[in-house]
């Protein structure tokens, strides 16, 4: 179900790959980067990555534009994601990280809503059922499909 | 430093050339003769004024009162005790530099006095400066030890709209020379434009001081290199292109307005060019509008600071784009 990824306009804008000194501009830039990282990882079902991989990934490296976000700036973006709760470092040296394009609490909320709607409160069911069961084939439930 | 605390728009009354510089302590003329700076007002930041202006003004004689273009330079209030010759402090918080219409005449008179070899103008001043260089530099550095106090005061003045901030010490000393330098020979207009450009650079970041050095150097072709810094700065010379217009100066407030006005013009020009071309480097912009690269860079950085532009920094160079991050959101 991998649809072609649609890059945002910023991805084709050279300044996107330079960390902006103007604070307000930088704020917008980082927000765009965070959004891009999350949607990229979500589409490619990538939940973890190393910083090295990130550097060479088309995510931060636009070969066609001949621009890549320098590693120090990548780290700024990752830190932003961490602050927002979408990223966790997997090691102390910050060489690899977990990407949560939906934050755990958001998942919890969704699951609860789904469970409530399908009237299955107070019964226990497994993660398997949740992520692959027939009940999950309705629109809302399909959100859970394929989630690791 | 003093001079740069004030607005350094050197302006002329319409149709006239500006020549000399006279210092007004507040509204009063100050008297000075060679080697001594006498002030008859109170509360002057004499230490700095004296060490540099004494040196700079060492050749100047008092001139007649004349209504002319002035620059208000606001000063830090501090007692001074350095220079020979008495002076008290001033009740005014600023001194004024007057560009007399016919100051040149007096300088020429001075210059032509028998026995005085090149005592006026750049070379004369420079010789004296060279002779007193060590002393001056010592005075300057001592004077600038109070800079932090000055900055607080200056900050307050900036908020009140009285003065413009500047943080380059070297720049200030050279700027003083540029300001107090009498033109000799031809090229007054040229010199005034230089100083005006200098004033325009006032707000620029430290990196601009190289450009200012070059201005000073061009200002005085015969200026002897006084310090390694100046030598270095001169090596950074770029071709200077001067603005054509000089504005009329009326009062301190007017100067500040003029300064902003100039900035607005610069910003408008930057934006126009970048929108037209899609993106530009400072060098390209400089070439397009016919100004020095350093001035162009200043304009571009200002536009970036204001949020109009964003930058693309790569192996291809530093290029500026319209700030789509803001406009496209």
């Amino acid at each position: 179900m991998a649809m072609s990824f649609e890059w945002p306009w910023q991805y084709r804008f050279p300044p996107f790959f330079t960390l902006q000194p103007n604070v307000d501009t930088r704020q917008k830039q980082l927000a765009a980067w965070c959004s891009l990282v999350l949607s990229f990882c979500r589409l490619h079902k990538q939940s973890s990555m190393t910083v090295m991989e990130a550097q060479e990934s088309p995510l931060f490296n636009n070969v066609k534009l001949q621009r890549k976000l320098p590693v120090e700036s990548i780290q700024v973006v990752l830190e932003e994601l961490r602050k927002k709760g979408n990223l966790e470092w997997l090691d102390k040296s910050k060489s690899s990280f977990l990407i949560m394009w939906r934050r755990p609490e958001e998942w919890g909320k969704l699951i609860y809503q789904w469970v409530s709607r399908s009237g299955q409160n107070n019964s226990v069911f497994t993660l398997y059922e949740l992520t692959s069961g027939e009940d999950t084939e309705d629109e809302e439930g399909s959100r859970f499909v394929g989630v690791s | 430093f003093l001079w740069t605390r004030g607005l350094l728009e050197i302006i002329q009354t319409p149709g006239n050339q500006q020549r000399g510089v006279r210092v007004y302590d507040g509204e009063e003329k100050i008297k000075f003769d060679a080697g001594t700076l006498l002030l008859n007002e109170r509360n002057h930041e004499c230490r700095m004024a004296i060490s540099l202006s004494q040196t700079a003004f060492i050749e100047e004689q008092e001139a007649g009162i004349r209504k002319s273009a002035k620059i208000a330079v606001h000063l830090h209030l501090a007692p001074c005790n350095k220079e020979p010759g008495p002076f008290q402090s001033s009740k005014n918080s600023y001194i004024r530099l007057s560009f007399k219409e016919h100051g040149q005449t007096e300088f020429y008179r001075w210059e032509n006095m028998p026995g005085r070899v090149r005592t006026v103008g750049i070379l004369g001043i420079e010789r004296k400066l060279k002779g007193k260089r060590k002393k001056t530099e010592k005075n300057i550095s001592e004077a600038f030890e109070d800079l932090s106090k000055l900055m607080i005061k200056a900050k307050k003045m900036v908020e009140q709209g009285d003065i413009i901030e500047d943080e380059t010490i070297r720049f200030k000393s050279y700027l003083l020379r540029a300001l107090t330098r009498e033109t000799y020979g031809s090229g007054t207009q040229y010199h005034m434009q230089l100083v005006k450009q200098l004033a325009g650079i006032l707000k620029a970041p430290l990196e601009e001081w190289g450009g200012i050095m070059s201005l000073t150097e061009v200002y005085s072709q015969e200026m002897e290199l006084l310090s390694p810094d100046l030598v270095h700065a001169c090596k950074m010379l770029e071709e200077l292109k001067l603005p054509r217009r000089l504005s009329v100066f009326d009062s301190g407030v007017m100067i500040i307005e003029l300064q902003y006005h100039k900035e607005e013009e610069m910003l408008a020009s930057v934006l126009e060019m970048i929108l037209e071309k899609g993106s530009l480097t400072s060098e390209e912009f400089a070439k397009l509008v016919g100004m020095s690269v350093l001035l162009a860079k200043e304009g571009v950085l200002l536009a970036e600071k204001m949020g109009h532009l964003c930058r693309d920094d790569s192996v291809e160079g530093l290029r500026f784009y319209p700030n789509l991050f803001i406009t496209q959101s």
Side-chain angles (χ1 to χ4, degrees):
Chain A
M1 194 194 79
M3 26 178 205
S4 66
F5 185 68
E6 259 189 55
W7 297 101
W9 67 265
Q10 289 96 334
Y11 190 70
R12 275 175 218 87
F13 188 47
F16 194 46
F17 295 85
T18 300
L19 194 62
Q20 296 298 315
N22 178 308
V23 171
D24 300 319
T25 310
R26 180 188 298 209
Q27 212 171 27
K28 298 275 182 189
Q29 179 193 25
L30 287 178
W33 269 117
C34 288
S35 170
L36 175 57
V37 170
L38 291 178
S39 48
F40 180 89
C41 290
R42 176 180 182 169
L43 190 92
H44 293 84
K45 307 254 189 291
Q46 196 151 9
S47 54
S48 68
M49 218 192 261
T50 67
V51 174
M52 305 261 293
E53 284 169 356
Q55 276 179 274
E56 295 311 314
S57 156
L59 174 58
F60 292 111
N61 181 4
N62 186 338
V63 178
K64 196 171 172 191
L65 198 69
Q66 292 191 302
R67 292 286 185 278
K68 56 199 291 191
L69 196 65
V71 67
E72 315 81 43
S73 308
I74 293 179
Q75 273 153 359
V76 174
V77 173
L78 297 180
E79 173 60 15
E80 273 303 296
L81 284 164
R82 189 199 64 80
K83 278 195 252 180
K84 290 164 79 167
N86 294 104
L87 182 148
E88 262 177 28
W89 290 108
L90 290 170
D91 62 329
K92 240 183 181 173
S93 56
K94 295 197 179 176
S95 63
S96 65
F97 55 90
L98 194 68
I99 271 287
M100 299 168 282
W101 48 269
R102 203 166 252 147
R103 299 193 300 275
E105 57 269 22
E106 286 173 317
W107 279 123
K109 196 171 169 189
L110 274 173
I111 290 173
Y112 185 81
Q113 281 171 356
W114 180 83
V115 166
S116 305
R117 235 171 267 128
S118 49
Q120 293 184 15
N121 278 16
N122 295 323
S123 57
V124 180
F125 57 114
T126 64
L127 204 58
Y128 176 79
E129 283 174 314
L130 185 61
T131 59
S132 59
E134 283 163 12
D135 288 345
T136 63
E137 274 184 17
D138 65 322
E139 238 178 66
E140 284 173 9
S142 64
R143 254 179 288 181
F144 300 125
V145 175
V147 175
S148 65
Chain B
F1 180 60
L2 295 181
W3 309 113
T4 59
R5 291 282 164 245
L7 268 169
L8 298 162
E9 287 281 334
I10 309 294
I11 51 193
Q12 64 181 23
T13 52
N16 288 308
Q17 302 281 319
Q18 286 181 330
R19 306 299 190 128
V21 173
R22 186 197 313 153
V23 180
Y24 287 87
D25 185 357
E27 301 302 314
E28 305 271 338
K29 290 196 318 291
I30 61 173
K31 302 175 188 180
F32 42 82
D33 43 57
T36 305
L37 189 60
L38 302 173
L39 296 176
N40 46 18
E41 294 294 319
R42 297 192 169 274
N43 295 332
H44 219 58
E45 174 47 49
C46 314
R47 255 206 324 172
M48 288 163 56
I50 297 303
S51 32
L52 283 168
S53 60
Q54 185 209 2
T55 322
F57 283 127
I58 204 156
E59 307 301 337
E60 193 163 347
Q61 48 176 275
E62 186 183 5
I65 299 172
R66 200 180 280 278
K67 271 259 188 275
S68 55
K70 293 177 186 55
I71 290 171
V73 179
H74 294 260
L75 305 172
H76 181 56
L77 305 181
C80 30
N81 51 10
K82 271 209 161 276
E83 297 305 317
F87 55 81
Q88 310 94 9
S89 34
S90 166
K91 70 167 166 14
N92 293 299
S93 64
Y94 64 97
I95 64 171
R96 296 198 298 160
L97 302 178
S98 162
F99 289 80
K100 310 184 286 279
E101 287 181 0
H102 300 304
Q104 182 69 29
T105 322
E106 303 199 11
F107 262 92
Y108 275 129
R109 249 187 267 133
W110 185 266
E111 185 172 26
N112 292 328
M113 265 169 70
R116 283 193 175 272
V117 182
R118 310 301 296 277
T119 52
V120 300
I122 297 145
L123 201 56
I125 293 172
E126 290 308 331
R127 285 200 181 132
K128 288 272 181 178
L129 280 168
K130 191 178 183 183
K132 292 177 183 278
R133 174 163 60 105
K134 287 197 169 46
K135 185 186 173 196
T136 303
E137 282 177 359
K138 180 174 173 288
N139 286 344
I140 292 172
S141 61
E142 280 178 44
F144 289 150
E145 275 165 30
D146 283 340
L147 199 59
S148 54
K149 287 189 213 155
L150 262 176
M151 291 311 285
I152 296 169
K153 195 93 187 181
K155 215 170 186 177
K156 208 169 112 194
M157 287 180 177
V158 167
E159 282 160 19
Q160 292 166 359
D162 292 336
I163 60 171
I164 286 178
E165 273 183 302
D166 179 87
E167 293 173 23
T168 312
I169 291 177
R170 280 286 196 286
F171 159 61
K172 291 162 193 173
S173 68
Y174 289 122
L175 187 60
L176 169 67
R177 267 181 238 152
L179 272 183
T180 60
R181 183 146 302 144
E182 263 296 50
T183 60
Y184 70 122
S186 62
T188 306
Q189 184 79 5
Y190 179 77
H191 291 159
M192 289 305 115
Q193 285 170 342
L194 275 168
V195 186
K196 179 179 158 83
Q197 191 178 42
L198 211 61
I201 292 174
L202 240 187
K203 285 189 173 186
L206 274 164
E207 65 191 44
E208 300 302 331
W209 75 277
I212 294 158
M213 292 311 110
S214 66
L215 275 175
T216 317
E217 204 270 357
V218 177
Y219 197 94
S220 156
Q221 276 83 12
E222 292 179 62
M223 185 161 89
E224 292 167 332
L225 302 179
L226 291 188
S227 73
D229 295 289
L230 187 54
V231 175
H232 173 69
C234 291
K235 285 179 182 159
M236 289 163 63
L237 269 188
E238 289 179 84
E239 191 192 346
L240 285 174
K241 295 186 184 175
L242 303 177
R244 297 270 151 259
R245 253 178 50 221
L246 295 178
S247 352
V248 177
F249 174 101
D250 215 66
S251 67
V253 175
M254 186 84 123
I255 284 184
I256 293 168
E257 286 174 15
L258 287 172
Q259 183 70 11
Y260 291 153
H261 181 62
K262 222 155 69 86
E263 271 183 12
E264 277 171 27
E265 283 179 3
M266 170 68 98
L267 281 177
S269 174
V270 169
L271 285 174
E272 190 188 322
M273 283 299 138
I274 285 195
L275 283 171
E276 192 181 302
K277 302 286 176 181
S279 72
L280 286 175
T281 65
S282 317
E283 293 78 20
E284 288 166 355
F285 176 60
K287 206 167 179 179
L288 270 175
V289 298
M291 69 167 64
S292 76
V293 177
L294 281 157
L295 244 195
K297 177 129 200 194
E298 189 228 345
V300 159
L301 289 176
L302 178 66
E304 181 189 41
K305 198 169 164 192
M306 310 281 294
H308 301 305
L309 302 180
C310 56
R311 64 169 63 189
D312 164 40
D313 201 349
S314 71
V315 292
E316 296 169 17
L318 180 59
R319 191 163 273 281
F320 291 86
Y321 287 73
N323 190 354
L324 299 183
F325 294 112
I326 303 285
T327 57
Q328 290 247 51
S329 48

